[in-house]
């Protein structure tokens, strides 16, 4: 009986693996086709300063699947990484972002905005990443000073010296860096001082805790203080309520992003809203 059980279990495992393999394989082909067929889109979420003025946007990837509708990045980025598709997908994201920046450069309302692009660790550590970014900026005549790359702490796993060197090359060209999801990773404090980081993005999970419990409030206070002491800009992610914003303002937080200020929307909607909001502020002055 035991051996039957064992065989059944092994078969089950092999079957599951096979199924997973097939699923990954078809996902890989679907993703490749998606890039080719123009099914990827960037959505844009506003980032605002202490007065609520839009200072930039974060580009967030969406897959507009012909049958399944919009698919969120968490559902396919991981698989894209495993399948070795990040050069293709990440490359598309950077091109599209630079194209947008170059268009904004010519617009009197949008030319001051920065654009933040998420870069996965696997994409960042590839040998020709810096060259690719610099060439793409050139190709689209986009302003490097307006491009912000968002990295997570996981990038430091490949070795701090390598990462610092790559970041410095891009920094010298004017590109800025934000550390995304700050507080959720590890070894952060140790590495912070050694990397040319201009912005800390406090993870949404901390922001949510702010008005819920005293511990959460204390935690966020000390994270903001630490960022300010280090001389980087502190941005709070996932701000959903006026109470959260008020608390964060009081802590000294400099920038905000979240549903309270605007959801990620299509490029057309983002540009329309931003131009309207920026013109409104200018007429008030
Ligand atoms: P992230 O970079 O931390 O982006 C913030 C996520 O929080 C986005 O989810 C955004 O839609 C969501 N969000 C913003 N404000 C709020 C809020 O007030 N409440 C709540 N509940 N959520 C909020 P999204 O667009 O699903 O992206 C998820 C993650 O996928 C991103 O997290 C990023 O790590 C990754 N990602 C997105 N686009 C790209 C990309 O182009 N390349 C790479 N490598 N990763 C990407
Ligand atoms: Mg991000
Ligand atoms: Mg984040
Ligand atoms: Mg994230």
């Amino acid at each position: 009986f035991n051996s039957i059980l064992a065989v059944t279990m092994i078969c089950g495992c092999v079957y599951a693996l096979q199924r997973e393999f097939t699923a990954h394989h078809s996902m890989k082909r679907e993703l490749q086709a998606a890039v080719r067929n123009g099914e990827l889109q960037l959505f844009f979420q506003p980032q605002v300063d202490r007065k609520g003025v839009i200072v930039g946007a974060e580009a967030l990837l969406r897959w507009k699947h012909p049958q399944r509708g919009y698919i969120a990045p968490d559902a396919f980025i991981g698989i894209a990484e495993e399948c070795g598709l990040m050069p293709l997908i990440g490359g598309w994201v950077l091109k599209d972002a630079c194209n947008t920046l170059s268009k904004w450069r010519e617009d009197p309302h949008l030319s001051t905005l920065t654009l933040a692009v998420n870069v996965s660790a696997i994409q960042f550590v590839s040998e020709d990443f810096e060259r690719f970014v610099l060439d793409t900026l050139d190709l689209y005549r986009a302003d490097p000073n307006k491009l912000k790359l968002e990295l997570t702490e996981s990038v430091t796993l490949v070795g701090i010296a390598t990462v610092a060197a790559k970041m410095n090359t891009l920094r010298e060209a004017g590109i800025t860096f934000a550390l995304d999801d700050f507080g959720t990773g590890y070894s952060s404090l140790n590495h912070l001082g050694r990397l040319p980081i201009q912005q800390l993005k406090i993870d949404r999970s901390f922001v949510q805790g702010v008005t819920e419990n005293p511990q959460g409030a204390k935690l966020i206070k000390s994270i903001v203080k630490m960022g300010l002491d280090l001389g980087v800009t502190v941005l709070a992610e996932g701000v959903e309520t006026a109470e959260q914003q008020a608390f964060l303002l009081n802590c000294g937080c400099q920038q905000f992003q979240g549903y309270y200020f605007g959801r990620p929307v299509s490029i057309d909607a983002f540009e329309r809203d931003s131009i309207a909001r920026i013109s409104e502020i200018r007429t008030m002055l």
Side-chain angles (χ1 to χ4, degrees), residues 42-43 45 58-62 72-75 77 81 86 89-90 92-94 117-121 123 150 152 180-181 201 203-204 208 237-241 244 257-264:
L42 290 181
F43 270 32
Q45 186 178 31
E58 178 174 4
L60 294 158
L61 189 58
R62 300 288 180 267
D74 287 330
I77 295 269
E81 286 174 350
M86 270 337 269
I89 292 178
W92 180 86
V93 168
L94 275 162
V117 172
N118 293 283
V119 175
S120 65
Q123 181 189 358
E150 296 196 357
T152 58
D180 205 355
D181 304 342
K201 296 190 76 178
D203 193 68
R204 189 169 81 222
Q208 269 158 0
E237 287 193 291
V239 181
E240 292 183 352
T241 67
Q244 288 169 349
Q257 183 181 341
Y259 294 169
Y260 183 64
F261 304 98
R263 291 189 176 245

Side-chain angles (χ1 to χ4, degrees), residues 241-263:
T241 67
E243 294 74 46
Q244 288 169 349
Q245 187 207 13
F247 184 90
L248 289 157
L249 274 170
N250 192 37
C251 291
C253 196
Q254 294 138 320
Q255 291 184 19
F256 308 88
Q257 183 181 341
Y259 294 169
Y260 183 64
F261 304 98
R263 291 189 176 245

